[in-house]
Amino acid sequence: MPTARLRWVQSPAPLRLTFPAQPSALAPLRRTLRQWLTQAGLGADRTADMVLAVTEACTNAVEHAYVAEQPEAGTIRVDGELLGEVLRITIVDGGHWKTADSDPNTLRGRGLAIMRAVVPDTFISTSPAGTTVELRATVELHALH
């Protein structure tokens, strides 16, 4: 049986993305984010979780943050960095926070719960300047066979 070796992953350059708060920007975001997370050494499951959580945060910004303004005026910024074994991704919009729908029968409004389910270290702060979502995860080194 081959011996497993640890692979030391060199941190990729920080991720810095800014894009319009429009649904058409989400697919390119997912592709770019998946590639960056793979370069950072995340496994397939952790990558899928992070892509899902970031997509949920960005979808919330697309659908809710800029409702009062013209959607073309809004942007979303996604920053990512790997510091040692700690991955941090921050999603920032300049729009307005929308209070969750209190109707328990609605089929919408599950994005925050999904983010927290797949990335427990999810932090959300709101202000008149916009909303910031910070996702943190510990990255484990992968064994190569």
Side-chain angles (χ1 to χ4, degrees):
M1 173 180 268
T3 304
R5 295 180 294 143
L6 290 180
R7 174 179 65 146
W8 293 99
V9 177
Q10 183 172 348
S11 297
L15 178 70
R16 304 284 184 253
L17 302 173
T18 302
F19 51 92
Q22 297 178 344
S24 61
L26 297 176
L29 162 71
R30 285 190 295 270
R31 281 190 298 273
T32 301
L33 180 60
R34 189 175 294 111
Q35 180 181 19
W36 185 82
L37 292 167
T38 300
Q39 290 173 349
L42 272 71
D45 289 344
R46 178 58 87 179
T47 294
D49 288 346
M50 295 304 291
V51 169
L52 176 58
V54 171
T55 300
E56 285 296 330
C58 291
T59 299
N60 284 346
V62 166
E63 293 183 356
H64 306 299
Y66 298 103
V67 173
E69 299 99 30
Q70 296 225 344
E72 298 78 40
T75 60
I76 301 170
R77 191 179 82 233
V78 175
D79 296 331
E81 59 186 346
L82 182 61
L83 302 170
E85 294 182 352
V86 177
L87 172 67
R88 185 175 70 152
I89 298 179
T90 306
I91 302 96
V92 179
D93 70 60
H96 303 285
W97 179 257
K98 179 184 177 211
T99 306
D101 190 346
S102 61
D103 180 2
N105 296 318
T106 185
L107 297 176
R108 308 222 5 111
R110 305 229 185 334
L112 298 178
I114 290 169
M115 283 188 277
R116 289 184 171 122
V118 297
V119 182
D121 290 335
T122 296
F123 307 93
I124 301 168
S125 61
T126 62
S127 75
T131 301
T132 300
V133 176
E134 183 176 326
L135 307 166
R136 291 187 215 147
T138 301
V139 178
E140 298 177 9
L141 297 176
H142 300 283
L144 296 177
H145 297 277

